[in-house]
Amino acid sequence: MKIIMILLKDIVTFLNNNEGALMVIITLIYVIATIRICRANIKAADAAREQLVESKRQFEETRRLEIMPYFELDIVDDSSLRWESDVSLLISEGNAKEKTVIGKKLVINNIGLGNAKDFTYVWKNLNGSYRRHDLQFSSISAGGKREITIDFYAEHQEDGSEYEAQVSFLFCYSDLLENKYQQELVMIFQIGKPEKVTLKTYKAGAPVLLKEAKNA
C-alpha cells in the first residue's frame, strides 16, 4: 500500500511539473485524430459520389437499350414486276464498256424495342463512300418492316476475268432520345463476264453507338 501511495505521489508530481508538455501532446493527438476522421469522411464522400455517378450511368444505359432500334437485314431476289427500282447503285464507277444490272430487294426489319428516325445511309463502293438521300422513308417503328428494291450496276473487266467486289450499306439513324447509331451491311459480289454477276455473300453487323444524347 505504501508503494502505491509513493507511485501516485510521483505521478501527481510529474503531471504538475509537465502540465504544458502534456497539453501539447493531448492537442497533437486530437489534431491527428481529427485529420484522420476528415480524411475518412472525404473518402466515404468520394466513394458515395462515384457510386452515384455509376448508378446514373447504368440507369441511362439501361434506358437507352430499352429503346434502341436494331435491324435485321436480308437481301432477297427481286421478283416484283416493277419497271423501276427504288434505288440504283454503282458497284464501281469506272468507264467499262460492259455493265450488268442485278436486281435485289433489301428487307429491313426493326427487331429492336424502339423506333428509329432520321434513317439515312452511306453507300460504300469500290471507289469511295457516298451519303445518299434517295429513300422514300425516314423512320421505322419498333417491329416495323421496310423493303427497298435495288438495281446494282456491275462493271466487267475488258478481258472478261472474274473479280470480287466488296461493297456495303452504312445505315445511320437515331432513337427517340436522340442517341445516334450506325449499322453496316457488307456484301460481296462475284463479277465475271457480262450477265455473270452474283451476290456471293452478305453479312449484317450489330448497331454501333456513335453519339450518346446529352441529358438523355
Side-chain angles (χ1 to χ4, degrees), residues 102-167:
I102 176 173
K104 296 289 180 180
K105 181 183 292 184
L106 172 60
V107 182
I108 306 173
N109 284 295
N110 186 358
I111 60 176
L113 300 177
N115 300 339
K117 65 176 187 174
D118 304 325
F119 189 91
T120 60
Y121 73 98
V122 174
W123 173 242
K124 300 169 70 175
N125 65 12
L126 298 182
N127 295 91
S129 301
Y130 308 90
R131 183 169 293 279
R132 307 275 298 202
H133 301 281
D134 49 7
L135 297 179
Q136 300 301 311
F137 61 90
S138 61
S139 63
I140 307 177
S141 60
K145 181 172 75 171
R146 298 285 189 175
E147 295 183 350
I148 308 171
T149 56
I150 306 170
D151 281 341
F152 294 100
Y153 286 77
E155 293 189 331
H156 299 278
Q157 304 282 17
E158 291 186 3
D159 59 2
S161 59
E162 290 189 354
Y163 69 99
E164 288 186 352
Q166 178 174 308
V167 295

Side-chain angles (χ1 to χ4, degrees), residues 7 9 15-16 21 27 33 45 52 59 65 84 92 98 100 118 127 131 137 139-140 158 166 181-182 186 188 215:
L7 289 174
K9 184 178 179 181
L15 292 175
N16 289 333
T27 302
L52 179 62
F59 171 77
L65 293 175
E84 293 184 1
S92 61
E98 298 285 348
T100 294
D118 304 325
N127 295 91
R131 183 169 293 279
F137 61 90
S139 63
I140 307 177
E158 291 186 3
Q166 178 174 308
Y181 302 87
Q182 70 179 24
V186 178
I188 297 178
N215 300 322

Side-chain angles (χ1 to χ4, degrees), residues 37-123:
I37 292 172
C38 289
R39 287 179 176 177
N41 289 339
I42 291 172
K43 288 182 179 180
D46 289 342
R49 191 179 300 108
E50 290 175 2
Q51 185 176 6
L52 179 62
V53 171
E54 178 61 18
S55 297
K56 182 180 179 182
R57 186 197 66 78
Q58 291 179 0
F59 171 77
E60 292 176 348
E61 179 69 6
T62 299
R63 184 170 63 159
R64 182 183 69 79
L65 293 175
E66 286 177 347
I67 64 166
M68 182 182 74
Y70 194 122
F71 298 116
E72 181 181 66
L73 305 169
D74 289 309
I75 298 179
V76 298
D77 291 330
D78 182 13
S79 58
S80 67
L81 298 178
R82 296 187 184 186
W83 289 98
E84 293 184 1
S85 61
D86 297 322
V87 175
S88 297
L89 297 171
L90 300 176
I91 294 175
S92 61
E93 300 178 30
N95 296 311
K97 296 179 180 179
E98 298 285 348
K99 290 186 177 69
T100 294
V101 179
I102 176 173
K104 296 289 180 180
K105 181 183 292 184
L106 172 60
V107 182
I108 306 173
N109 284 295
N110 186 358
I111 60 176
L113 300 177
N115 300 339
K117 65 176 187 174
D118 304 325
F119 189 91
T120 60
Y121 73 98
V122 174
W123 173 242

Side-chain angles (χ1 to χ4, degrees), residues 1-11:
M1 187 69 180
K2 185 180 292 186
I3 296 175
I4 295 175
M5 294 299 296
I6 294 173
L7 289 174
L8 289 175
K9 184 178 179 181
D10 290 341
I11 292 172

Side-chain angles (χ1 to χ4, degrees), residues 163-180:
Y163 69 99
E164 288 186 352
Q166 178 174 308
V167 295
S168 65
F169 289 95
L170 192 61
F171 297 106
C172 307
Y173 53 94
S174 303
D175 63 20
L176 296 180
L177 292 178
E178 302 299 337
N179 296 298
K180 299 184 184 300

